[in-house]
Amino acid sequence: MFSKLKFMMPRSLYGRAALILIVPVVTIQLVVSVAFIQRHFERVTQQMTEGVTIELGYLLTQINKAPDEATAHARLKEIAAAMAFETEFPTSKTGEGDVRDAIDLSGKVVIETLREAVPGLRWVALLSSPRRVEMLIETARGPLWLAVDRGRLSASNPHQLLVLMILTSVLMTLIAYGFLRNQLRPITKLAEAAAAFGKGHNLRYKPRGALEVRAAGKAFLDMRARIERQIEQRTMMLSGISHDLRTPLTRLRLGLSMLPEDEETAALLGDVADMQRLIDGFLSFARGDALEEAELTNPRELISRVVDNAVRAGQAVALGGMGDAAEAGAEVLLRPAAVTRALENLIGNGTRFGSHVRVGFALNGRNLRIVVEDDGPGIPPALRDEAMTPFTRLDAARDPNRGGGVGLGLAITQDIAHSHGGKLLLSQSEDMGGLRAEFVIAC
């Protein structure tokens, strides 16, 4: 039961806060309304009706005790005028059953009280226009028709207080919701800024709201500034390391090129090339184009440009599914250089281990999916997570001496996907038989 109730509860903070606010107000309104109607208005109506029944009892007593019909008429006329009754005696009116409106809350109490206190009462009609009570009473001198103003038997407007309570409650609920919304809006803004930062975007955010919300917002801004400062410092440090290492490597390459060409010199030149490739790969992975600003980019144009560059470089790469006409002109907020680097890594892996590569994309309201497939041997499912670990080479085919990389291509691609709030998914291509890499970017 509790699980069903939990499933029915709103999931957003606005919905839950509104529920916390409205449920107590509605509950109090229902309890007060029911108690007020049943105990107060019913009792007041009963007391007012009992007062009228005392007058009716006196009137019927005088009619029944009259020695003749003329005396009965005279006494009826005198008492009815004094008590503001409208009468017809004897009357030809007939009827059976009581009449009242379904929405007449106090009418039931009026009829029940009249029947208990007035002897010979045949029927009662509670009319709304004009607002009065009509009744037919059997007397010793014949049937008596009598009408009395409804205001003498029950409160004239018993619903006014309820309407006032409801309107006041609605007004106060709207005002309270306005204040609540102003307090919850900074939390929503903070969540949006945090989500955007997770995707690599920097939204302008200023702490607002209650002290606790301001403290959380300030802590987020401090954390974001520290992360950005750390990335910038790391990039600057690695750029310095790159400059410092490239100089001695250049001297080594120059010195080796001046030595006689033999097997030992060739091996040393190979070692220098490996060191150069390791340094370039490590710096590329550590930098990850994190300092590049995100901008609105057409993914179709970006992918087509990357594929064209690969084709000009002599790689067997073709375009696959490129979305429908609506997706052709769509733009996504991303870092073009970083995404280009990721696609080049995936295409390079595909052409290195396969003969043909196909690139396509699909765009929906939530994410951009770029799919790179090849006809190579693929990666076994048990090794796919390991393949995205930095500096991991799965087999001898990926030996740098045989044209392979240093084990950072998929790691760099995955890091770029994470910086865009997405992920890298590896599976097997259904029609090409090789590796299927899905580069997912959150929109």
Side-chain angles (χ1 to χ4, degrees), residues 108-119:
K108 183 178 180 181
V109 178
V110 171
I111 294 174
E112 290 177 352
T113 305
L114 289 174
R115 287 203 168 277
E116 292 177 359
V118 179

Side-chain angles (χ1 to χ4, degrees), residues 68-369:
D68 52 40
E69 187 172 343
T71 304
H73 274 282
R75 291 180 178 178
L76 173 63
K77 184 176 181 181
E78 179 182 358
I79 297 174
M83 297 182 178
F85 291 155
E86 182 181 349
T87 60
E88 180 180 324
F89 179 74
T91 181
S92 59
K93 295 181 179 181
T94 59
E96 296 293 338
D98 301 326
V99 179
R100 70 178 180 91
D101 294 335
I103 60 174
D104 192 346
L105 302 178
S106 58
K108 183 178 180 181
V109 178
V110 171
I111 294 174
E112 290 177 352
T113 305
L114 289 174
R115 287 203 168 277
E116 292 177 359
V118 179
L121 183 63
R122 291 179 56 184
W123 56 262
V124 180
L126 306 182
L127 305 180
S128 57
S129 181
R131 183 176 168 79
R132 65 180 184 177
V133 179
E134 296 183 0
M135 59 192 80
L136 184 64
I137 307 172
E138 289 290 345
T139 67
R141 300 293 179 180
L144 167 66
W145 175 85
L146 184 143
V148 60
D149 183 36
R150 175 66 184 273
R152 296 178 58 186
L153 284 82
S154 62
S156 58
N157 293 305
H159 64 283
Q160 285 185 351
L161 182 58
L162 298 177
V163 173
L164 180 62
M165 291 169 57
I166 293 174
L167 292 179
T168 303
S169 299
V170 171
L171 177 62
M172 297 307 298
T173 300
L174 293 177
I175 294 175
Y177 183 77
F179 283 109
L180 183 63
R181 187 170 181 269
N182 289 334
Q183 294 301 315
L184 295 180
R185 185 182 301 170
I187 301 177
T188 304
K189 295 294 184 182
L190 175 59
E192 292 175 354
F197 184 63
K199 298 176 183 179
H201 311 152
N202 278 349
L203 288 184
R204 188 176 179 181
Y205 172 74
K206 182 179 180 181
R208 298 179 182 274
L211 293 177
E212 295 80 2
V213 180
R214 288 175 180 266
K218 187 176 183 303
F220 165 74
L221 291 178
D222 293 340
M223 179 194 68
R224 186 172 70 177
R226 286 195 302 270
I227 293 175
E228 291 175 343
R229 186 166 56 250
Q230 181 182 8
I231 294 174
E232 184 177 0
Q233 291 174 351
R234 185 187 68 173
T235 304
M236 293 177 62
M237 179 188 68
L238 293 174
S239 298
I241 294 175
S242 173
H243 179 270
D244 294 340
L245 291 178
R246 287 178 192 275
T247 301
L249 284 176
T250 302
R251 289 200 300 266
L252 284 173
R253 186 180 295 108
L254 180 61
L256 291 172
S257 64
M258 298 177 67
L259 294 177
E261 296 184 2
D262 53 19
E263 293 183 1
E264 185 176 355
T265 302
L268 291 175
L269 286 173
D271 291 338
V272 172
D274 291 343
M275 293 175 62
Q276 183 69 51
R277 187 163 53 248
L278 284 169
I279 292 173
D280 292 341
F282 175 72
L283 292 177
S284 177
F285 171 72
R287 187 175 71 249
D289 296 306
L291 299 180
E292 181 190 3
E293 291 294 332
E295 58 184 64
L296 286 174
T297 305
N298 188 314
R300 185 187 185 97
E301 296 178 357
L302 186 146
I303 296 172
S304 298
R305 184 167 59 251
V306 173
V307 172
D308 290 341
N309 292 338
V311 171
R312 284 198 300 270
Q315 297 175 326
V317 184
L319 290 173
M322 298 294 287
D324 53 23
E327 297 174 355
E331 293 185 335
V332 178
L333 191 64
L334 50 81
R335 294 194 293 274
V339 175
T340 299
R341 180 194 299 268
L343 293 181
E344 289 175 349
N345 287 338
L346 294 176
I347 292 174
N349 285 341
T351 56
R352 184 177 301 118
F353 303 112
S355 57
H356 294 86
V357 176
R358 184 176 61 201
V359 183
F361 86 100
L363 179 64
N364 54 39
R366 300 182 60 183
N367 53 56
L368 166 67
R369 290 179 174 267

